[in-house]
Amino acid sequence: MPSPTLSDVARAAGVSYATADRVINNRGNVAEKSSEKVRKAVAALGYVRNIAAANLSRGRIYKLAFLIPQGSNAFFNRIHQHIIHTAEHQQREGVTVEVIKVAAFAVEGLQESLLALLGRDIDGIAIVGLQSTALEKSLAQLRARGVAVVGLVSDLPQTSRAAYIGIDNIAAGRTAARTVGLSHGGHSGCVQTFAGSMEARDHAERLSGFREVLEADFPFIDVLDPIMTKDDPIVLQAQARELLSHPGFTALYNVGAGNSGLIAALQEAKGKRPFCVVHELVAHSRQALLERHIDLVIDQRPDVEINRAFTVLRALIDEKDLPPMPDLVPTIYVRDNLPADALTDKMKA
């Protein structure tokens, strides 16, 4: 049988089509008695509001903002490209997008951007988050104004957002540890880790998962405290160059970005290099795999994350249930299974 229409609801409620439309779309100016009749007719008929049609008739515009770290980080440049491409595709559906660049790992900078959004007409925001109580007040104010808030890639405090879109970073760290452990073939070793900042939840969780597996299943491998780099490739190159000048390190694991600096240091190093695991498949990590400077890349498929962010934000804005979505699982790349990808072609290395 055909689905009931708004005309069917109006007829069953004994009101005009315009009155039924105002009740269904929360436009007000309807007597409570008439509103109750419409609600009862909706329940009796099983009417489901066609949000797309309603938005089209009202000229609905979804005003979205993405807050991502600025700088030369190749991964977030890739994120930026995916946002722009997806926004262009959804423009015909009334979606407008602004990308706001925030200083990496700067709680103050992110706080300032959030406060600026309080004075803006915005429907939803996706934020590459930091774990800081300083953000909670402004996030609560945004949500109180009806702004949909989601964490992207790196989560926000859980009480301050409606959803998180990203991989399980503890699982990603555990995956890295498993490969490092197996690479030692039962022999002892020493692993140096690198991180951008422990305020970034994804970095902290990856390190936690990494340590869990090595301590439990490979206790003969020592894990050193992370060297903090702020994801700056220059800092990472200098730190790795100094590290590689001393023998004894059997593996390197960078939980964050700035891998072009690490790769440069590995290219300069003499003799057998340590086993090396990094995150995110971008131009330089792809090329480093092909040239055998690193061994493994754990990628979180930012194209999937961005598509999901748009879907989740629109559902939250429309007050719909979130669609069923499978967990985002990290993808492991070695030099033998690299995909074709125009965004990471050799020209951008």
Side-chain angles (χ1 to χ4, degrees), residues 173-285:
R174 292 178 64 88
T175 302
R178 185 71 56 190
T179 63
V180 167
L182 293 173
S183 74
H184 283 67
H187 299 291
S188 62
C190 182
V191 183
Q192 178 62 64
T193 58
F194 303 90
S197 170
M198 298 305 287
E199 284 188 330
R201 184 167 177 173
D202 54 338
H203 291 199
E205 289 183 340
R206 289 173 187 174
L207 281 172
S208 174
F210 188 77
R211 285 185 177 278
E212 284 176 4
V213 169
L214 289 182
E215 289 173 1
D217 296 347
F218 305 94
F220 46 85
I221 300 175
D222 293 328
V223 182
L224 302 183
D225 290 337
I227 295 173
M228 296 300 167
T229 66
K230 295 291 186 182
D231 282 353
D232 186 330
I234 296 175
V235 173
L236 188 50
Q237 181 176 2
Q239 294 285 356
R241 182 187 291 135
E242 171 64 23
L243 192 77
L244 292 167
S245 66
H246 303 288
F249 296 97
T250 54
L252 305 176
Y253 174 44
N254 182 25
V255 306
N259 287 314
S260 60
L262 176 59
I263 292 164
L266 288 165
Q267 289 173 323
E268 298 168 359
K270 306 298 182 184
K272 184 180 179 181
R273 65 165 176 81
F275 186 83
C276 186
V277 180
V278 302
H279 284 265
E280 316 313 346
L281 187 67
V282 293
H284 52 258
S285 59

Side-chain angles (χ1 to χ4, degrees), residues 116-123 139-148:
L117 287 173
L118 283 170
R120 300 272 304 279
D121 181 14
I122 202 83
D123 297 309
L139 288 170
Q141 289 175 314
L142 284 164
R143 296 186 70 187
R145 292 182 60 239
V147 178

Side-chain angles (χ1 to χ4, degrees), residues 119-161:
R120 300 272 304 279
D121 181 14
I122 202 83
D123 297 309
I125 54 176
I127 307 168
V128 176
L130 297 172
Q131 291 297 301
S132 173
T133 56
L135 303 174
E136 293 178 359
K137 182 178 179 180
S138 52
L139 288 170
Q141 289 175 314
L142 284 164
R143 296 186 70 187
R145 292 182 60 239
V147 178
V149 177
V150 302
L152 177 67
V153 177
S154 183
D155 205 1
L156 295 159
Q158 292 188 15
T159 57
S160 300
R161 48 73 169 166

